[in-house]
Amino acid sequence: MAVATEGDLIAERYKLVRKVGSGAMGTVWQARDQLLRRDVAVKELLVRTGMTELQTDEARNRAMREARLAARLHHPNVISIYDVVEYEGRPCLIMEYLPSQSLADLIAENGVLPVGTVARIGTQIASALAAAHTAGIVHRDVKPANVLLTGDNVAKLTDFGISRADGDATVTAAGLLAGTPAYLPPEVAQGHDSVFASDVYALGAMLYAAVEGHPPFGTDDNAVALLHRIATEEVPPPEHAVPLTATLVWMLRRDPKHRPEAKEVQDALGALAESMPAEMPAPAPVPVEEAPPVAAAEGPDRRKVVAIALIVGAVVIAIVVTVYALNQPQPSSTAGSPSTTPSHTTTASSTTTTPAPTSTTTGTTTTTSTTTTTSAAPPPADVSSQLTAFITDYYKLMPNDLQDGWGHLTAAYQSGTAGGFAGYQQFWSQFSGIDLSGITATPPGTVVATLTYHYKNGGTRVERTTFGLVQQDGAWKIASSVVG
């Protein structure tokens, strides 16, 4: 069978323009749809050597069948499949062409990504999987290389169903797995078929790699050894994922029945993403042309231009600061009595107020033209004290006031780590009390504390625990907890 080359016309309609990628499953081309006059992507699926004619036919037919099924899925976070054709006996997928960068490339460039970035990407991909699962479609190959990121921070999942369509062909004639199985779930590594929960595990492994810099079990060149670890060992707890840890642990549970559904992952990651700063690294940076040198701004003239610019800038800044200050409320005549309510609030500049008794003081404020007072953001110590106070207050409720304590947890933590309210009750039913010591807090949301659990039978258990806290609706909540 001939290999496609630049300029070939596929199905008498799609002219290949340039090769944009290749891998174990095939080659991807940018092509031009001669009929609709638009750019498309053509994925030419390879049929592996060493297969019998019957196996080749089965693989090709399966590819065509599952690709047509995936073509029925329309979602803003899924690369659309427009058509399925054959070229020289090989299936070719005609897909949406998206100028983008893969998540795999972004991880390779940055090493690790910010947790907020990962939560936003994960929310979009979980939404795509939820739609696919509702339509009865299992992706089977969720991994960073199959997630495309645009310059405006949109994540799209590609290659739906294709890994399974070519699935039998991923095993070579020698019976060894081709490529790395780093994102395979345990049940697939053990030889079972992929199910919806398998996609959820693979998504968790992908997000794990994005925040840790490597998949849960690494990327051993020995695929068989890596498969064995995935099939038999527990996932090492992530070290840098707080406050994403609880959701990742939930997604990466060994038993598929104990993993969340894709919609639950979407909700959990979405809530986390909303509580974190938008710090998406640009996946497809646009080069900026340098301005040509200005010949007239040389020597003394150049220095004059710079000096004038600096003076104008200073004047503008002074005016802005003064106007802002004159419009700010002046300090009350009674110091140390803030007028606040016992709640936690967050402003756009991440300024927080420490809980304090409610009090109101009335006084007269005078502002002169020579004296201004500006309002500065509280130092990080204020946030640290809030974090410490929150954890301290939460454990004062335990184990007697579970209803109130339950409200101190995020929805993802409640359903995942806590195992629902029934699991929460069961856990705390074994203890008569708990003591805290050695509490340290690190903004924006990390608290480490030593917990001493007192069992009802008289025994004790001591654990050093790291908590990840987030703010939701103006209140701190526990989003994750890791022992050790």
Side-chain angles (χ1 to χ4, degrees), residues 39 129 156 179 226 257 301 329 383 448:
D39 287 334
L129 289 176
K156 292 202 175 194
L226 185 53
K257 296 190 296 291
D301 290 338
V383 178
V448 182

Side-chain angles (χ1 to χ4, degrees), residues 31 69 96 177 249 280 304 324 330 347 354 367 382 419 463:
L69 181 65
E96 169 189 1
L177 191 76
V249 170
M280 291 282 282
K304 290 179 182 178
Y324 175 81
Q330 299 302 308
T347 67
T354 307
T367 304
D382 288 350
E463 294 177 348

